[in-house]
Amino acid sequence: MQTTTAVDLGNPDLYTTLDRHTRWREFATEDAMVWSEPGSSPTGFWSVFSHRACAAVLGPSAPFTSEYGMMIGFDREHPDTSGGQMMVVSEQDQHRRLRKLVGPLLSRAAAKKLAERVRTEVRGVLDKVLDGEVCDVAAAIGPRIPAAVVCEILGVPAEDEDMLIDLTNHAFGGEDELFDGMTPRQAHTEILVYFDELIAARRERPGDDLVSTLLTDDELSIDDVVLNCDNVLIGGNETTRHAITGAVHAFATVPGLLARVRDGDEDVDTVVDEVLRWTSPAMHVLRVTTGEVTINGQDLAPGTPVVAWLPAANRDPAVFDDPDTFRPGRKPNRHIAFGHGMHHCLGSALARIELAVVVRELAERVSRVELEKEPAWLRAIVVQGYRELPVRFTGR
Ligand code: HEM
């Protein structure tokens, strides 16, 4: 089905309530191809929602590129300035080069080595929040763990971590009034300035961190190094924190889940995949056509922006039974929360380890999680995220 919406699907106001899932469900069920008029995006954009159509747009052989940008707002006429330099918005040689360089630092083996650091971080965070007081998981737990891990990968000194967490929240947390006082763009600039300093320090004293690794490749400019540090910082922080918050949300709302995980009645890796599907923190990815292509019966000219809505695909009733329900043992679980194709998330092993440690530690140390009130959602389109999740933990 092809249609034009009366609403601009790039308007973040549409995503602050659970009505978003109703809209996505309708579009996914109809396998809709929806046109949004110019507004949030200067030239307008097409959207796809079904699991099949999202996978087709993102698939390795699809005639699409990320080089103009991968978020609503960018298209051929208004390209992302980091296109062709930053991994997520580069293709071909530059993309291959960057994945080869950065991949080993985020591989499954590297992630396993980081598991102990993750455990220490999770235990430290839980020590602070298991005091019987109301805890806003979205602020106190979600952001801390991925930020500490990404800082470790980047080689950011511990004393700078808190500052970087705040800046990342401002830069990528959504257009939310919580982040008043500094525009997202200003926060982003501050991060890039910080990386300049870090790069200078690593040039003097190289280590085994991401910054030092990127510096070993003479073909990469300093700009490339800065932008790719930024890619990992943002990619690693902003999505994972909402998945972690969502794991606590699941424990608060799925009866008996804590005990079942603790008693070994649920496979933790399977639970983690269901957290990823159910939370689907990366809300959309955009591609621009590189040639003429027909999607869902719609002929698209070169240079047309198309958006894949990942949470819609991850609750597509054609692929997932009872898709709104969190089913800890769901198998198979062919979610595309990490995207699909050439740009499939490079940090997926790390994100999975972080979530597995959080799930295990919570089950070990907590006997009950009670929702104080329903979660509030971010006013954002890049991430589907928790603005607030107040809960009360009962320790064991
Ligand atoms: C790419 C989601 C965690 C680093 C992506 C993409 C998605 C995604 C959907 C593809 C974007 C596209 O196709 O344009 C997620 C989710 C995460 C997560 C849902 C957590 C729950 C992480 C972590 C890191 C990371 C922990 C690093 C520490 C990256 C990088 C890319 C990427 C570097 C670019 C890959 C490429 O372009 O080849 N992620 N991510 N992500 N992610 Fe993640």
Side-chain angles (χ1 to χ4, degrees), residues 58 66 70 87-89 95 99 102 106 150 153 231-232 235-237 239-240 243 276 280-282 285-287 310 336-340 342-348 350-351 354-355:
L58 301 177
S66 295
M70 45 73 73
M87 186 190 312
V88 78
V89 285
H95 183 243
R99 271 193 88 104
V102 178
L106 305 179
V150 171
I153 292 167
N231 192 164
V232 171
N237 275 304
T239 43
T240 319
L276 288 160
S280 222
V285 284
L286 176 140
R287 295 289 187 267
L310 303 181
I336 51 170
F338 289 125
H340 178 68
M342 303 300 278
H343 291 276
H344 181 271
C345 178
L346 198 57
S348 59
L350 193 55
E354 290 182 42
L355 283 163

Side-chain angles (χ1 to χ4, degrees), residues 196-216:
D196 273 338
E197 290 164 19
L198 193 59
I199 288 165
R202 289 293 167 272
R203 263 198 199 293
E204 294 285 310
R205 274 168 285 102
D208 52 8
D209 50 79
L210 178 69
V211 175
S212 307
T213 304
L214 289 167
L215 284 171
T216 58

Side-chain angles (χ1 to χ4, degrees), residues 41-44 68 71 73-80 286 288 303-305:
S41 170
T43 48
Y68 298 109
M71 292 183 290
F74 294 116
D75 54 44
R76 197 170 59 163
E77 305 302 319
H78 310 84
D80 184 338
L286 176 140
V288 173
T304 308

